[in-house]
Amino acid sequence: ENSKPAMDVGSASALNLVLNSALALGDFSIFFVTDFNAASGAILGTDVSGGDYIRARTTNTMRIKEGGTEKTFRNIDISNQGVFSVFRNGTAGNVFVDGAGSTNNPLTLPSGDLDLTQIADANGVAHHAGTIQEIIIYPSDQSTNRVGIETNINDHYGIY
């Protein structure tokens, strides 16, 4: 991926990258560089059946599932490597790829914590099939700094 190191999570559904400790995120900002290879898959999830996740869908959408409620962000291109940004401030959720926002930003998300324990999977049913180069997680809303953070990431990876 642009001559930069990448973790190829491929199609090895047995791959289980567990976070050192669970993340319970209220307001959050998550930036990640990945190539979903135009396939559905989770960037972050939980090992609990029916648990929370952030995942891409083959329909060029991104879904956030929290507390049993799924919200779908539309027109998110997952066909190529990209700089993705996901935010929650209160109950307002927003998703961006390569600086462009979802056409239905913002969506109302549940007000509880987003609980995450795994990278590249969600309960073994939403395995990420591409590469991951970077994941940055802030336990706060960094949307006012979004452009600067995305620019810094893009300057390093040269994606768009």
Side-chain angles (χ1 to χ4, degrees):
E1 302 293 330
N2 299 340
S3 302
K4 304 289 185 191
M7 180 176 59
D8 185 357
V9 292
S11 60
S13 60
L15 180 67
N16 187 15
L17 301 169
V18 180
L19 298 172
N20 189 34
S21 59
L23 297 173
L25 300 172
D27 287 355
F28 62 81
S29 302
I30 302 172
F31 298 86
F32 51 97
V33 176
T34 191
D35 187 342
F36 285 103
N37 289 335
S40 294
I43 190 71
L44 294 165
T46 183
D47 56 356
V48 176
S49 179
D52 299 348
Y53 58 69
I54 298 173
R55 70 179 286 196
R57 302 285 298 180
T58 55
T59 54
N60 279 332
T61 59
M62 182 77 64
R63 283 191 181 164
I64 297 176
K65 182 178 180 185
E66 179 186 342
T69 301
E70 272 187 334
K71 295 293 182 166
T72 302
F73 295 84
R74 307 208 180 285
N75 298 319
I76 298 297
D77 184 7
I78 66 163
S79 62
N80 298 297
Q81 179 189 32
V83 176
F84 294 82
S85 306
V86 181
F87 302 94
R88 179 172 71 191
N89 182 357
T91 59
N94 292 279
V95 173
F96 297 82
V97 62
D98 297 340
S102 167
T103 55
N104 59 337
N105 275 348
L107 287 178
T108 301
L109 301 176
S111 59
D113 285 347
L114 183 68
D115 296 316
L116 303 169
T117 58
Q118 296 179 310
I119 299 171
D121 201 6
N123 193 30
V125 297
H127 181 71
H128 189 307
T131 59
I132 299 172
Q133 290 182 287
E134 184 166 8
I135 301 174
I136 302 169
I137 301 170
Y138 292 96
S140 60
D141 176 25
Q142 295 293 314
S143 58
T144 58
N145 300 318
R146 178 184 64 83
V147 173
I149 295 168
E150 289 175 345
T151 299
N152 181 280
I153 293 169
N154 188 59
D155 285 350
H156 180 74
Y157 292 101
I159 296 170
Y160 62 93

